[in-house]
């Protein structure tokens, strides 16, 4: 189900619509990878926020002890966006660098895990669906390490 209106208005997605879109459009392997991320987020995040995209749905796990905003977004097209800029501002951007370094340790990806220190506060890079499908376990390991090292249980 594609959620696009003729006026291009934003749409509040929900769990049912998200999974209808994912299961209807993505490969079984990519859909399973997103389901694995979702199950992890349900167990570990403080809450899941559903996106308001015109054509793409998303879920956004929020880890309150790390940030009031989600630092990672899982889209219905299989893309995973890393929102370094949504992590709180702190001296030396320690948390942004820690997330980047955890991603680089498990899944070195140009444009995502190699963002320079001088740009990291203002970027929202993404893993492409083919990377997500092939390397979902590595991405999840990096996210788990980041949240564990930043005080979230």
């Amino acid at each position: 189900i594609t959620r696009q209106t003729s006026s291009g208005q934003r749409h509040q997605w929900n769990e049912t619509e998200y999974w209808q879109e994912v299961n209807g459009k993505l490969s079984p392997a990519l859909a399973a990878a997103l389901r694995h991320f979702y199950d992890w987020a349900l167990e570990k995040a403080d809450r899941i926020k559903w996106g308001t995209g015109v054509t793409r749905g998303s879920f956004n796990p929020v880890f309150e002890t790390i940030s009031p905003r989600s630092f990672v977004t899982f889209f219905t097209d299989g893309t995973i966006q890393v929102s370094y800029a949504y992590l709180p501002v702190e001296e030396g951007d320690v948390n942004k660098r820690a997330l980047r370094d955890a991603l680089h340790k498990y899944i070195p990806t140009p444009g995502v895990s190699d963002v320079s220190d001088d740009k990291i506060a203002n970027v929202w890079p993404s893993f492409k669906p083919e990377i997500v499908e092939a390397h979902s376990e590595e991405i999840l390991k990096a996210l788990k390490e980041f949240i564990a090292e930043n005080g979230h249980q």
Side-chain angles (χ1 to χ4, degrees):
I1 299 172
T2 299
R3 294 285 173 208
Q4 183 174 14
T5 62
S6 59
S7 63
Q9 294 178 341
R10 296 188 84 68
H11 168 76
Q12 179 65 60
W13 288 75
N14 60 45
E15 182 178 15
T16 301
E17 292 171 343
Y18 181 92
W19 292 110
Q20 284 176 340
E21 183 83 3
V22 165
N23 293 327
K25 290 194 170 182
L26 303 183
S27 71
L30 185 52
L34 288 174
R35 176 59 74 174
H36 191 59
F37 285 115
Y38 183 67
D39 291 343
W40 164 76
L42 281 176
E43 180 182 334
K44 295 295 184 183
D46 294 305
R47 63 188 165 93
I48 303 286
K49 183 175 179 248
W50 294 97
T52 59
V54 175
T55 59
R56 284 194 308 178
S58 64
F59 73 86
N60 307 273
V62 177
F63 300 87
E64 295 286 350
T65 56
I66 296 172
S67 175
R69 298 180 81 175
S70 181
F71 59 83
V72 63
T73 299
F74 300 87
F75 289 100
T76 53
D77 66 359
T79 300
I80 297 176
Q81 178 178 293
V82 179
S83 301
Y84 294 116
Y86 287 166
L87 288 166
V89 175
E90 59 181 30
E91 186 66 34
D93 287 322
V94 173
N95 55 7
K96 295 170 179 62
R97 290 191 342 246
L99 176 56
R100 177 203 56 204
D101 295 348
L103 290 167
H104 189 73
K105 176 180 174 181
Y106 292 101
I107 178 81
T109 306
V112 179
S113 64
D114 64 352
V115 177
S116 64
D117 287 351
D118 63 324
K119 291 186 171 54
I120 202 162
N122 298 303
V123 294
W124 296 264
S126 296
F127 287 106
K128 294 178 180 178
E130 57 272 18
I131 298 295
V132 174
E133 185 171 342
H135 299 285
S136 63
E137 287 302 317
E138 292 88 347
I139 296 168
L140 187 55
K141 282 179 188 175
L143 294 174
K144 286 178 177 179
E145 181 174 295
F146 173 72
I147 66 167
E149 290 180 358
N150 281 274
H152 194 83
Q153 298 303 317

